[in-house]
Amino acid sequence: MGQCIYGYISRILWGMPAVFMIVKYSENVSIDKIKLFSYPKFDKTLVTVLILSMCYVIVSMFWVHKGFFFNDDEILGLVIIKFMLVGFVEEMVFRGWGYNALVKNTTHIKATFITTILFVILHWPAYFIKFFRFGIFDFAGIIGQSIAALIWGIIFCRLLQKGKSIWNPIIAHTLYDLAYALLVG
C-alpha cells in the first residue's frame, strides 16, 4: 500500500508543473487552456484509436495467454487510480504542455518528433533500475516498450491535434494502459 501511495503522490507532483505552465502561460501554447481542458471530443479519430487499441489488447491477451485472461494480481480500484494518474500526468507533461508549446513555435511534425522521443526515453529507467538491482537487462522489453511508446506518442499527439482537448489523449492513454495491465499483464 505504501508503494501505491508513493506512486500516486509522485505522479501528482510530477504533473503539477505542467498544469501550472499551461494555466499560467496559456498565451505561449497553441491550444489555450479553455479549449485544452474542454470536454473530450468523441470524434472519428478518438473512436478509431479506442477500437483499434482494444482489438490490439485482446489479440495480445490471446497471443500471450492462449485464451481469456484477467490479471487478478492487481487490486482493481488501485490499478484504475494508478492508470488514471499515469494517463493524466504523462499527457499533461508531453502533450498538454510539451507538444502544445512546441507546436506554437515549430511544425506539427517537429513537435511530435521531439515530444515522442522524450516520451520514449521516459519509459527506459525501469529497465535500467531492474538491471542495477537484479543484474538482468530486458533487451527485448526495452525495445518493445520503446516501439510501443513511439507509436503511442505519435497517436497521442494526433489525438490532441485533431480533438483540441487534452482529454482525448488522456482517455486513450488511460484505457489502453488499464486494459493492457488487466488483460495481458
Side-chain angles (χ1 to χ4, degrees), residues 7 38 46 71 105 139 161 177:
S38 65
L46 177 59
N71 187 357
N105 300 304
F139 187 73
Q161 181 192 32
D177 283 356

Side-chain angles (χ1 to χ4, degrees), residues 21-175:
M21 298 289 275
I22 292 164
V23 172
K24 180 84 171 144
Y25 301 105
S26 190
E27 69 278 355
N28 296 329
V29 293
S30 177
I31 303 169
D32 68 51
K33 63 185 174 196
I34 303 299
K35 279 187 197 171
L36 189 68
F37 292 110
S38 65
Y39 292 108
K41 293 172 182 63
F42 285 90
D43 57 6
K44 187 170 81 173
T45 306
L46 177 59
V47 171
T48 302
V49 166
L50 294 177
I51 290 169
L52 290 175
S53 65
M54 290 308 107
C55 289
Y56 174 75
V57 167
I58 291 168
V59 168
S60 296
M61 175 184 66
F62 279 97
W63 179 270
V64 171
H65 300 287
K66 311 295 185 234
F68 287 102
F69 173 80
F70 186 81
N71 187 357
D72 55 7
D73 290 340
E74 299 282 357
I75 299 170
L76 189 59
L78 293 178
V79 80
I80 289 171
I81 293 168
K82 173 184 170 183
F83 287 113
M84 286 173 60
L85 276 173
V86 167
F88 180 80
V89 169
E90 289 182 4
E91 292 312 310
M92 291 306 292
V93 171
F94 291 99
R95 265 57 72 180
W97 176 252
Y99 170 84
N100 200 10
L102 284 169
V103 82
K104 183 165 182 168
N105 300 304
T106 188
T107 67
H108 162 70
I109 292 172
K110 285 181 184 175
T112 299
F113 176 79
I114 292 167
T115 56
T116 298
I117 293 303
L118 292 171
F119 185 62
V120 168
I121 293 169
L122 164 80
H123 291 85
W124 290 354
Y127 293 94
F128 292 104
I129 291 168
K130 189 176 184 180
F131 173 71
F132 289 121
R133 286 189 68 201
F134 306 111
I136 300 166
F137 189 76
D138 185 4
F139 187 73
I142 198 169
I143 297 298
Q145 180 85 29
S146 295
I147 292 169
L150 179 75
I151 292 167
W152 280 111
I154 294 166
I155 290 169
F156 296 149
C157 285
R158 186 69 175 162
L159 286 172
L160 179 59
Q161 181 192 32
K162 295 289 278 181
K164 304 287 189 237
S165 169
I166 192 64
W167 296 111
N168 286 25
I170 289 172
I171 289 168
H173 192 154
T174 301
L175 287 178

